[in-house]
Amino acid sequence: MSPQTNAPRHNPKAVTALFRFAVSISVLNVFGYTLLGFEQPWTWPLVALATAYSLEFVLEILGARVEGRTPRFRGNGPRGVAEFLYPAHITGLAVNMLLYVNDVVWVMVFGVVVAVGTKWVLRAPVKGRMRHFMNPSNFGIAVILVLFPWASIAPPYQFTEYLYGGFDWLVPAIILTLGTMLNAKLTERMWLIFAWVGGFALQAVVRGLLFGTSIPAGLAMMTGVAFVLFTNYMITDPGTSPSSKWGQIAFGGGVATLYGVVTALGIAYGLFFATALTCAVRGAFLWTADIVARKRAEEALALAAVTQSVEQAHAARKDAAPAADAAACGCPEGACSCPAPESAEAAACTCPQGACSCPARANAEADILKTPVVA
């Protein structure tokens, strides 16, 4: 049997968004290592990309064989391969760019492996298809921060370390402008951004009122390059965030709320942990909704089967009623028989009219026969 032909992986708008994400993060890495002040070795992005590409190909080939379909990178030439690798490209560069693990390159590689692999492990049903619900690069970074306490995120100053005289404001302004255009026109995640930014400001005020922390310091974090990058290129991942208006508001507000809780508990790197927790909650919600929908569908099918059985039984009873009536309304043998005439001149024997007729039924369950009259 020939392999099943797979459907397109993304719609055209999503492909365009992924392409622009990939280009943006590539340009940022080039400028980061040449002008801005990235701290990681310049060879590490290449190592991260090689790891992400290789693992993505291997897992896709295995997944296609198990699911009986054609691998998604086949069928559209080099363009199809490039479109297939956009997510892996973004994930590999993001993990390396945002994570700082000193000179231990294998820890960074492990983070990339976790990030790419989680798309095949942590999945939930979405509109009849299994989709990953955990933000890949965010989850890879969060796992590294948990397993290796000496690791940290990249220092925020690396994005503007060598810029002076107002140019240090130009970088976040460019990222903010391009990211806003990208999310407004392609990913359509502006409601998520509004909820996240508004919720972040609110939690900074609430923490200041409840715990005495500096409200200006909490709000000042929103002006940094790291926050702008996170807002426009991490939390808005279209593959792991809701698309509906209220779903986006709940997701963005949920990340902001959990960030406030995690930070109030004294846990560092709250952005990554809050996002991972929110994605996990969304995954549990998707599974619960699917189970409830399946149960309701089964109950509806069972009810339909019972209704059909009752209707069939009622129809069979109605079909059998005329035959039963005919059988009940039969004249006894000889009910209107005549004796042999005594002579040829004797009048012929005739039965009175209606001598053996059946009256109307008293009800639907009983038949009453008129008593025959013998001539």
Side-chain angles (χ1 to χ4, degrees), residues 69-88:
R69 57 174 174 79
T70 303
R72 295 187 178 96
F73 55 82
R74 295 179 57 185
N76 198 18
R79 179 178 177 179
V81 176
E83 291 178 355
F84 168 77
L85 289 176
Y86 287 161

Side-chain angles (χ1 to χ4, degrees), residues 46-107:
L46 304 178
V47 175
L49 289 178
T51 303
Y53 290 171
S54 302
L55 186 60
E56 190 80 14
F57 274 121
V58 170
L59 293 178
E60 175 62 22
I61 292 172
L62 294 177
R65 179 172 300 180
V66 171
E67 297 172 4
R69 57 174 174 79
T70 303
R72 295 187 178 96
F73 55 82
R74 295 179 57 185
N76 198 18
R79 179 178 177 179
V81 176
E83 291 178 355
F84 168 77
L85 289 176
Y86 287 161
H89 184 90
I90 296 168
T91 300
L93 290 182
V95 170
N96 175 70
M97 181 179 68
L98 299 175
L99 193 65
Y100 187 76
V101 290
N102 298 325
D103 60 346
V104 188
V105 66
W106 69 266
V107 175

Side-chain angles (χ1 to χ4, degrees), residues 149-296:
W150 50 267
S152 67
I153 62 171
Y157 64 78
Q158 76 170 10
F159 295 100
T160 56
E161 185 174 3
Y162 300 140
L163 299 179
Y164 303 96
F167 286 100
D168 52 347
W169 284 90
L170 183 62
V171 172
I174 293 175
I175 296 174
L176 178 62
T177 301
L178 296 178
T180 301
M181 294 174 57
L182 177 65
N183 287 296
K185 294 184 176 181
L186 295 176
T187 67
E188 299 177 347
R189 292 298 189 275
M190 292 307 297
W191 285 110
L192 191 155
I193 292 177
F194 292 149
W196 154 245
V197 174
F200 189 91
L202 179 61
Q203 64 81 31
V205 174
V206 171
R207 284 193 298 114
L209 295 176
L210 295 180
F211 303 105
T213 58
S214 173
I215 295 178
L219 295 174
M221 181 180 172
M222 302 171 65
T223 64
V225 177
F227 183 88
V228 176
L229 277 172
F230 184 87
T231 299
N232 287 278
Y233 294 96
M234 178 73 79
I235 194 176
T236 56
D237 176 24
T240 55
S241 60
S243 56
S244 65
K245 171 184 174 181
W246 292 109
Q248 292 183 40
I249 292 174
F251 189 88
V255 175
T257 301
L258 288 176
Y259 172 83
V261 173
V262 169
T263 305
L265 294 174
I267 301 175
Y269 316 122
L271 289 178
F272 299 96
F273 294 134
T275 304
L277 289 173
T278 305
C279 289
V281 171
R282 178 172 178 262
F285 172 80
L286 292 173
W287 272 111
T288 302
D290 182 72
I291 293 173
V292 172
R294 288 175 181 270
K295 185 176 180 180
R296 289 179 177 176

Side-chain angles (χ1 to χ4, degrees), residues 319-347:
D319 292 340
D325 292 345
C329 186
C331 290
E333 185 177 359
C336 191
S337 59
C338 296
E342 296 179 356
S343 64
E345 291 78 10

Side-chain angles (χ1 to χ4, degrees), residues 290-308:
D290 182 72
I291 293 173
V292 172
R294 288 175 181 270
K295 185 176 180 180
R296 289 179 177 176
E298 292 175 356
E299 292 175 351
L301 288 175
L303 180 60
V306 171
T307 303
Q308 184 178 7

